[in-house]
Amino acid sequence: MEELRTRLFERMGFYRRQCPYCKHYFWTLDKGQETCGDQPCTPYLFIGNPPGKFRPESIRDVREKFLNFFEGHGHTRIKRYPVVARWRTDVYLVGASIYDFQPWVTEGIVPPPANPLTLSQPSIRFTDIDKVGRSGRHLTGFEMMAHHAFNYPDKHVYWIDETVGYAHEFFTKELGLRDDEITYKENIWEGGGNAGECLEVLVGGLEVATLVFMHYRTVDGKYVEMPMKIVDTGYGLERIYWLLTGKPTVYDAVFGTFIEKLRGKLGLPKPSDEMLMHMATYFGQLDPEVTSIEKAYEYISGKVGMDVNEVRSTLKAQETLYMLGDHGRTLSWMMADGAIPSNSGVGYLGRLLLRRMLRSMYVVGIEMPLTELMSMELEFLRDDYPEVYEERQTIIELVEIEEKKFRELLRQSPSIIDRVVRDRERRTGKRELTVDDLVMLYDSQGLPPEIVREVASSRLGLSVVVPDDFYSRLAAKYQRESGEERPRVDVNPVEVQDLPQTRELFYDNMRLFQFTAKVLRVIRGKYVVLDQTAFYPEGGGQVADHGIIRHSRGESRVVDVQRVGPVIVHVIEGETPMEDETIEGVVDSTRRLDLMRMHTATHILLQSIRRVLGRHVWQAGAEKNVPFSRLDVTHYKLPSRDEIRKIEELANQMVIANHPVVIRWLGRTEAESKFGVYIYQGGAVPGARLRIVQVGPDDSPYDVEACGGMHVSSTGEIGMIKIVKVEKIQEGVVRFIFTTGRHAINYVESLEDSISSVSELIGKGREDVVKGVKELIEETNRMESRIRELTRKAVKGDIADAISREVMINDTGFTYMEYENEDKNYIQEFAKEYLGARPNTVLLIINRVGNGTEYMVYLSPETAKRINIRELMTKINLSVNGKGGGSTTYGQGFTQGKPSIDPFINAIKAVLQAL
């Protein structure tokens, strides 16, 4: 790559060589260097022998050294972004600093927050999750220190020469490395739809930075030149700190004090540095997919002269400590950003980390609660991530909930696994568990494969093979894919692609309810496109406007309005207007105003929920409709009655205060810089300019969101916000159903009417309704207790009656009872008590009902071993012309009419006599 031949390389006399192993070209000042300097071509050279003169006391020293360096070279330091990428539709998590600026900045649609800029961005990748704790260098969470420059056709900032110069100066002048200790390896980088040549910066066998020169867009597997040229660098904070400390692994460098404190509490053995170095070297150069883990233990055993079993147990415990350090930090980042563990989306990835932590603790035998461990790690992270520490109460509560679920899952695991094995044996004839079964058991039940393997071996005698990359496969399944939204009406975009964009009058004036427009197209007599409209199309959770269109042929009712590409389609009923004529549109103003109240109330309610339940709450869905609206939010449990009351009080305080609702259009970068990514509560919003809805005054806004919906001018117009119902609709999502304005008044009045009706029914005054209902409940409980007592007496009498009829046939008791329209619950109670008292018995019950006869047969577990209930029911069905079936210990059937009991008895006796 001739373009990577920089002025620095030429001035300092770097040699360009080709690595004999990986075939990559690299640049070095060491005339005798033969390999590229990267793993696995070059061994680690810095462990126990750190290069450079800078000896940081903490990882913060490295971060500040980097950021200060680039600030001193004209870069603006910006704040790190959250790790949950809510501003994007294609990924769940930030995987690199450039994710913060894709696609809007990288496509040249909006300017960057500064140019050039520098930051240290927490990033998360699950690609190598199975190697974490073992390889010595892989992490799921890491900080990517970066400096970026965005070069436009008319504005050049800097490019390859300056970027390499900055890197070399930082490593040599700031960190004190020798010039000949640094190698630059040529490569190509791709990610997020972009690509470019890159130089990987290597020191002592470790990649510490990547300098990407992004100037391609990837289209159908091909590189297409971009108008922009972007400097996209990534300096690994944790790896540089590891390099400068010379510790055996990156985990010892980054999490060392936490790991040693945890080891002391758990009493786990500490491996020698020699053992750790061999482990890191082995797995670092020959990754787990290339060789088996057991061979690694044998290799290390030979190197350190210890028994392989002792090596295995010591290193498994060490791997667990390493993994807990990494996963705990990554999980804390995610939870602090509102990722609630669940079975879908970003929550699935959070639960994946949690279950791996719990699984590893279980396998090694760590009995410490995960909540205690996480509390320790949050204290460890406190100074570096104060915003994460502030969310510790929520994080610990979430971990506690997940830990309880996991313990219950362990209790149920034998029966779950046995059921899956029996099902596979029934379907395939093979008694085994495949990788697909392991994936299914994790996805549907949350069972880690290591626990499945242990249970299958100890309980069922099965050998189960768990792939070394099992968790990486799972994580790869849950990467977000963005797809184009399909039109909600039966109109193909092709049918309107030649039409100009519809002018949206509702944005010019949200209280414009009458307008004139020209009919551009009528499709199949049902869909109408106008050149301009005041009808709001469904979007952002707000339902479409209704109203009428007056035209030369009469009137059309507008029953729905939807976007199809750049045009707005009106769904009509009634007479159809003609194309090219001018019409008059009339929006249902009462309904529109109601929806405006609902939409602004949604913003207020969401912010009130966040203030009561916590900042982890994010909108998960919404529908602004009449008479009721709904708001779905991320939360891990059903709010208490007191919390709901506080939320409603906060929301109505905002209504009473009559604060302004201000709507303005801002550039995307300006909006994000001013208000943060919180503005994306409703999801990622496209466009270079965003419509920002602010509830409350400029000096202290209550809520600010990017929103395209219709809103009132001030909060007082809402009238009242009333929460009607709160329910948990899925794991990690709680739904609030609410209403506003006149609909809230109607709802309250209906509650008043209900109270009055109850008051009349129980003969109490309205003020004594609660007292009266309590008295009724107490009386009902007394009656139910009396009924249960009478039922027990009746059951005892029937048991005595049945025993008196019991006969023995081939060492098996048989008896029967006959009832008329008896309650099924009573029959079940009687059968249970009878078989409990007479375990070796067949019990027949006949129940005469209005249009026929029900018959039930009960077998005790002992009897079921000798009698097939299905065959028995078949004989009874034939004898009485009935229909029925059974399973194991219970059978039931029905026949028309009321036949004699004799055929039932004779059929059962025949089966018993044949035993």
Side-chain angles (χ1 to χ4, degrees):
M1 302 180 195
E2 191 59 33
E3 57 269 34
L4 297 179
R5 184 184 294 275
T6 68
R7 289 196 299 265
L8 177 92
F9 294 162
E10 291 186 341
R11 186 180 76 248
M12 296 187 68
F14 272 74
Y15 300 98
R16 187 172 186 256
R17 301 277 172 77
Q18 185 178 24
C19 180
Y21 301 112
C22 67
K23 306 303 180 185
H24 281 281
Y25 286 94
F26 62 93
W27 296 85
T28 179
L29 283 172
D30 183 352
K31 190 174 182 179
Q33 184 174 332
E34 296 182 354
T35 61
C36 64
D38 197 5
Q39 296 285 320
C41 307
T42 303
Y44 293 141
L45 303 174
F46 64 92
I47 294 176
N49 183 32
K53 298 177 181 177
F54 178 55
R55 292 291 171 260
E57 293 183 5
S58 71
I59 200 167
R60 287 185 295 283
D61 295 342
V62 178
R63 186 192 297 115
E64 283 305 307
K65 176 78 80 172
F66 177 88
L67 295 173
N68 288 335
F69 172 79
F70 281 98
E71 280 186 304
H73 285 78
H75 293 67
T76 300
R77 183 193 296 210
I78 67 170
K79 291 181 179 179
R80 55 193 177 214
Y81 280 56
V83 293
V84 180
R86 289 188 172 86
W87 59 94
R88 296 183 59 164
T89 59
D90 57 334
V91 294
Y92 288 122
L93 298 166
V94 171
S97 59
I98 197 66
Y99 281 40
D100 301 345
F101 313 111
Q102 291 173 319
W104 304 104
V105 175
T106 56
E107 291 295 315
I109 299 169
V110 302
N115 195 12
L117 60 83
T118 186
L119 79 160
S120 188
Q121 176 61 46
S123 306
I124 298 174
R125 295 179 188 171
F126 283 79
T127 313
D128 298 309
I129 189 171
D130 291 286
K131 302 173 187 176
V132 172
R134 187 177 298 148
S135 71
R137 61 189 169 98
H138 287 100
L139 300 164
T140 57
F142 57 95
E143 274 193 59
M144 182 175 282
M145 302 187 298
H147 62 98
H148 296 283
F150 303 89
N151 298 287
Y152 296 88
D154 59 348
K155 181 185 178 182
H156 179 81
V157 183
Y158 62 80
W159 192 229
I160 298 175
D161 283 321
E162 296 88 343
T163 303
V164 176
Y166 284 142
H168 202 77
E169 182 180 349
F170 174 71
F171 283 109
T172 56
K173 299 292 192 297
E174 296 296 315
L175 303 187
L177 272 66
R178 298 195 316 271
D179 294 317
D180 62 355
E181 288 180 305
I182 305 170
T183 302
Y184 297 89
K185 176 182 169 184
E186 297 179 5
N187 212 335
I188 291 285
W189 179 91
E190 289 186 20
N194 300 117
E197 297 82 11
C198 74
L199 287 169
E200 296 168 1
V201 185
L202 302 145
V203 180
L206 182 68
E207 181 185 344
V208 290
T210 305
L211 315 176
V212 179
F213 308 105
M214 185 189 298
H215 59 108
Y216 297 120
R217 185 184 297 114
T218 52
V219 180
D220 298 327
K222 297 180 181 178
Y223 292 156
V224 178
E225 194 76 31
M226 294 165 53
M228 292 180 67
K229 293 182 184 296
I230 301 169
V231 173
D232 171 25
T233 66
Y235 291 66
L237 171 61
E238 290 81 3
R239 288 197 175 188
I240 293 173
Y241 185 56
W242 178 24
L243 177 80
L244 297 173
T245 61
K247 298 282 187 179
T249 71
V250 71
Y251 318 113
D252 293 292
V254 177
F255 305 106
T257 56
F258 165 71
I259 287 171
E260 290 312 310
K261 185 176 180 181
L262 183 59
R263 186 199 310 281
K265 270 187 166 288
L266 298 174
L268 294 176
K270 183 176 182 178
S272 64
D273 283 355
E274 182 188 10
M275 188 185 293
L276 290 177
M277 190 165 63
H278 284 303
M279 180 181 79
T281 302
Y282 189 87
F283 284 119
Q285 296 183 54
L286 302 174
D287 279 330
E289 65 262 32
V290 179
T291 186
S292 74
I293 298 169
E294 284 304 315
K295 283 187 178 180
Y297 295 140
E298 292 171 7
Y299 164 86
I300 297 168
S301 171
K303 288 289 185 181
V304 298
M306 287 174 59
D307 177 71
V308 68
N309 292 323
E310 187 177 352
V311 168
R312 184 188 297 108
S313 64
T314 302
L315 288 185
K316 274 187 176 293
Q318 189 68 13
E319 289 168 21
T320 296
L321 292 176
Y322 287 162
M323 190 206 67
L324 291 172
D326 167 78
H327 285 16
R329 183 177 70 165
T330 304
L331 186 64
S332 298
W333 286 351
M334 292 175 66
M335 286 180 170
D337 276 347
I340 306 297
S342 68
N343 287 332
S344 61
V346 70
Y348 179 93
L349 299 174
R351 177 165 284 168
L352 185 68
L353 288 172
L354 256 168
R355 290 281 163 93
R356 271 178 57 85
M357 294 173 77
L358 289 164
R359 176 271 301 173
S360 296
M361 293 169 69
Y362 171 82
V363 170
V364 176
I366 296 175
E367 296 182 356
M368 172 190 285
L370 184 56
T371 49
E372 184 179 343
L373 185 149
M374 287 296 292
S375 293
M376 289 172 58
E377 182 146 26
L378 286 167
E379 287 294 336
F380 171 72
L381 301 174
R382 184 175 189 168
D383 292 337
D384 279 306
Y385 310 101
E387 72 279 13
V388 173
Y389 185 76
E390 285 178 12
E391 298 300 314
R392 63 191 181 282
Q393 184 175 341
T394 297
I395 293 170
I396 295 303
E397 194 168 353
L398 279 168
V399 170
E400 183 178 21
I401 290 170
E402 288 294 308
E403 192 166 13
K404 285 179 180 176
K405 290 178 182 176
F406 185 75
R407 301 298 176 202
E408 177 61 21
L409 183 63
L410 289 180
R411 190 184 66 79
Q412 297 176 1
S413 60
S415 60
I416 294 171
I417 296 166
D418 181 59
R419 191 163 57 245
V420 172
V421 170
R422 283 191 282 107
D423 181 63
R424 173 162 288 280
E425 188 174 18
R426 179 181 56 79
R427 289 185 290 107
T428 67
K430 296 180 180 179
R431 187 173 170 79
E432 63 178 3
L433 284 172
T434 65
V435 173
D436 287 341
D437 292 324
L438 296 179
V439 172
M440 180 275 293
L441 280 166
Y442 183 87
D443 277 348
S444 64
Q445 304 290 339
L447 271 173
E450 297 85 355
I451 290 172
V452 175
R453 178 174 58 195
E454 179 188 305
V455 172
S457 174
S458 61
R459 299 289 187 100
L460 305 175
L462 293 180
S463 176
V464 176
V465 177
V466 179
D468 286 338
D469 63 345
F470 180 82
Y471 291 97
S472 301
R473 296 187 194 185
L474 288 180
K477 288 172 55 184
Y478 281 83
Q479 300 306 310
R480 178 183 281 178
E481 296 180 6
S482 64
E484 294 186 11
E485 189 174 346
R486 295 181 179 180
R488 298 175 183 235
V489 290
D490 186 23
V491 174
N492 194 307
V494 175
E495 296 179 277
V496 295
Q497 66 181 1
D498 59 321
L499 298 179
Q501 180 173 346
T502 307
R503 183 183 173 194
E504 299 170 341
L505 300 175
F506 44 82
Y507 282 148
D508 297 336
N509 181 0
M510 286 186 289
R511 295 175 189 268
L512 177 66
F513 302 124
Q514 286 186 269
F515 66 98
T516 59
K518 182 180 179 181
V519 179
L520 299 183
R521 185 154 299 165
V522 178
I523 303 170
R524 293 185 289 284
K526 183 179 180 181
Y527 306 108
V528 176
V529 181
L530 307 174
D531 66 335
Q532 60 181 10
T533 185
F535 284 100
Y536 180 80
E538 181 178 358
Q542 181 175 325
V543 296
D545 281 336
H546 292 172
I548 59 174
I549 291 177
R550 297 192 180 111
H551 49 85
S552 60
R553 292 178 173 176
E555 284 187 356
S556 309
R557 293 186 307 281
V558 177
V559 296
D560 195 10
V561 189
Q562 297 289 337
R563 293 183 187 274
V564 179
V567 306
I568 293 174
V569 175
H570 304 74
V571 183
I572 64 167
E573 292 178 352
E575 294 293 331
T576 306
M578 295 186 296
E579 291 187 355
D580 295 324
E581 75 166 306
T582 299
I583 59 88
E584 180 186 22
V586 181
V587 178
D588 183 338
S589 59
T590 302
R591 187 171 181 276
R592 160 72 77 77
L593 290 168
D594 284 342
L595 290 171
M596 289 164 67
R597 294 185 184 97
M598 292 290 191
H599 205 140
T600 306
T602 303
H603 287 217
I604 293 172
L605 189 60
L606 174 59
Q607 184 57 235
S608 302
I609 294 169
R610 278 175 63 88
R611 294 190 181 204
V612 173
L613 300 185
R615 290 186 299 181
H616 64 278
V617 169
W618 283 77
Q619 181 174 314
E623 183 184 65
K624 297 88 177 179
N625 208 333
V626 290
F628 300 105
S629 293
R630 63 171 172 81
L631 172 63
D632 300 339
V633 299
T634 56
H635 191 53
Y636 47 90
K637 64 180 180 180
L638 203 61
S640 67
R641 188 162 61 176
D642 186 53
E643 287 171 328
I644 295 168
R645 185 182 293 113
K646 286 179 182 176
I647 291 165
E648 190 172 88
E649 286 175 359
L650 262 182
N652 282 300
Q653 284 172 15
M654 280 299 297
V655 173
I656 294 168
N658 197 27
H659 285 302
V661 178
V662 181
I663 297 175
R664 56 172 72 93
W665 289 86
L666 296 177
R668 176 180 289 271
T669 303
E670 181 186 357
E672 288 182 359
S673 298
K674 189 172 183 179
F675 303 113
V677 298
Y678 172 82
I679 59 175
Y680 301 118
Q681 277 288 341
V685 181
R689 289 176 60 78
L690 302 179
R691 185 172 181 262
I692 300 297
V693 177
Q694 175 183 307
V695 179
D698 287 337
D699 59 347
S700 58
Y702 191 73
D703 183 83
V704 182
E705 298 180 38
C707 177
M710 300 288 96
H711 290 271
V712 296
S713 301
S714 62
T715 59
E717 294 179 48
I718 295 170
M720 176 172 62
I721 298 174
K722 183 62 187 171
I723 298 173
V724 175
K725 185 179 182 182
V726 181
E727 58 186 345
K728 192 173 180 180
I729 60 169
Q730 67 182 66
E731 261 197 312
V733 180
V734 173
R735 172 168 292 171
F736 286 76
I737 298 174
F738 68 97
T739 187
T740 64
R742 64 191 180 95
H743 298 292
I745 294 172
N746 292 339
Y747 175 71
V748 172
E749 287 177 347
S750 71
L751 291 180
E752 291 280 322
D753 291 342
S754 297
I755 292 171
S756 296
S757 297
V758 173
S759 172
E760 293 172 9
L761 286 170
I762 64 176
K764 296 281 187 181
R766 285 164 55 93
E767 67 279 3
D768 293 326
V769 164
V770 174
K771 180 182 177 183
V773 170
K774 284 182 177 178
E775 290 174 355
L776 277 176
I777 291 171
E778 289 171 0
E779 180 62 26
T780 300
N781 289 338
R782 284 195 294 271
M783 293 296 294
E784 287 180 351
S785 177
R786 177 63 177 156
I787 289 168
R788 284 194 296 270
E789 185 181 338
L790 293 172
T791 299
R792 283 194 294 270
K793 288 181 179 179
V795 166
K796 286 182 180 178
D798 284 355
I799 288 175
D801 193 10
I803 289 175
S804 69
R805 293 198 185 97
E806 188 176 300
V807 294
M808 295 298 294
I809 304 173
N810 282 337
D811 298 324
T812 302
F814 167 61
T815 190
Y816 64 90
M817 288 293 291
E818 192 170 3
Y819 295 106
E820 191 83 22
N821 289 314
E822 185 54 81
D823 179 67
K824 288 186 178 180
N825 290 328
Y826 176 82
I827 292 174
Q828 293 284 5
E829 182 70 19
F830 164 70
K832 178 183 173 184
E833 292 292 329
Y834 190 86
L835 291 178
R838 316 286 288 183
N840 188 28
T841 306
V842 177
L843 172 64
L844 167 66
I845 294 179
I846 304 296
N847 190 27
R848 311 292 186 178
V849 294
N851 61 342
T853 300
E854 298 172 344
Y855 48 97
M856 290 142 275
V857 178
Y858 297 86
L859 305 181
S860 65
E862 284 299 316
T863 311
K865 293 177 182 178
R866 294 180 289 118
I867 298 175
N868 187 310
I869 192 71
R870 294 185 182 86
E871 293 178 1
L872 177 57
M873 291 303 297
T874 299
K875 287 186 178 294
I876 297 174
N877 293 336
L878 290 172
S879 67
V880 298
N881 195 26
K883 292 182 178 180
S887 62
T888 313
T889 61
Y890 174 67
Q892 64 177 346
F894 179 83
T895 185
Q896 296 289 337
K898 297 184 179 180
S900 164
I901 197 170
D902 292 339
F904 296 98
I905 293 173
N906 292 336
I908 294 174
K909 284 184 175 181
V911 170
L912 294 177
Q913 287 166 353
L915 290 177

